[in-house]
Amino acid sequence: QAFMNRYGFCLDIKKDSIYKIIWQLSYPLIILTFIQKIAGIFEGTIVSLNSTTDLAVLSLCSPFISLITIVGYGIGIGFSATVGKIAGEGEWPRRSESVTKCMLVVQLILGSLFALFIFVLMPIALGKDVPNEILRNSRTYMFPYLIGSPLIFMYSSIMAALRGMGLMRSGIIITVIAAPVQIFISYVMYSNFGIGALGLGMVISRI
């Protein structure tokens, strides 16, 4: 308990200063983002060492993947505020099941709709100047992300809910486990099946 208090894993809004609260809420996100970026850097490295065509695919698809991730986390912020409000009112034990179900269903629907939006947006955004091979490989590479968008959105909601309850430590632990899983699966899938299977690492690691 003393360790948790010292390093910001526990939060008392009534007693702590605003600066300490901001730091306690901020630094876990910094750690999470850093760990997640390491996985992305690893994927980019193994692709760049293997094929410049695959690297072009990765570069073209990165904005779409970032868009999926950012929107998922953006929606998650709303859930984080909702969960924090309910927990602050002492209603979380009674309402946790219904709120969690609602949260996951909403993310499932929004994730599916957003995947459809990205599917329509991709050929328009990439234009006609992209070579057919790269365009075809880009669609193949994005397929796991589009199918897995609801899962990515739900993962974001779970992480946001943990932040809303002040359980930053749990979020860090989940990410520390998910990142190596993503790296390992991405490496195995890419080595055996090529660029089209690389995205499975991120999607599977979110399960």
Side-chain angles (χ1 to χ4, degrees), residues 24-202:
Q24 288 174 323
L25 292 174
S26 298
Y27 89 83
L29 296 181
I30 296 172
I31 295 174
L32 295 178
T33 302
F34 176 74
I35 295 173
Q36 291 167 346
K37 291 300 180 183
I38 289 177
I41 292 171
F42 177 83
E43 289 184 359
T45 301
I46 61 172
V47 168
S48 64
L49 293 174
N50 184 73
S51 169
T52 54
T53 301
D54 289 349
L55 184 61
V57 170
L58 208 64
S59 300
L60 287 173
C61 293
S62 290
F64 300 107
I65 296 171
S66 297
L67 193 57
I68 292 172
T69 305
I70 290 170
V71 171
Y73 275 112
I75 298 172
I77 290 173
F79 285 121
S80 177
T82 301
V83 170
K85 181 176 181 296
I86 294 173
E89 295 171 348
E91 293 290 316
W92 180 249
R94 183 176 65 86
R95 299 175 59 185
S96 59
E97 185 176 352
S98 61
V99 171
T100 302
K101 287 181 179 179
C102 177
M103 176 176 65
L104 295 179
V105 169
V106 169
Q107 289 290 53
L108 175 63
I109 296 172
L110 292 177
S112 301
L113 292 175
F114 197 72
L116 180 61
F117 169 74
I118 295 294
F119 179 79
V120 174
L121 177 65
M122 270 193 67
I124 299 174
L126 294 179
K128 299 180 180 179
D129 296 330
V130 178
N132 290 332
E133 180 186 0
I134 294 179
L135 184 60
R136 183 173 60 253
N137 289 344
S138 297
R139 290 170 176 168
T140 304
Y141 171 69
M142 283 298 298
F143 183 75
Y145 288 97
L146 296 178
I147 297 297
S149 286
L151 185 61
I152 295 172
F153 274 37
M154 287 189 283
Y155 174 86
S156 299
S157 292
I158 292 172
M159 298 294 289
L162 292 174
R163 290 196 299 271
M165 292 185 290
L167 301 176
M168 283 76 77
R169 183 186 186 188
S170 299
I172 293 175
I173 292 173
I174 291 173
T175 303
V176 167
I177 294 172
V181 171
Q182 176 181 342
I183 290 173
F184 174 75
I185 295 176
S186 296
Y187 176 77
V188 172
M189 298 303 290
Y190 180 68
S191 299
N192 290 279
F193 303 105
I195 190 67
L198 182 64
L200 289 173
M202 178 178 181

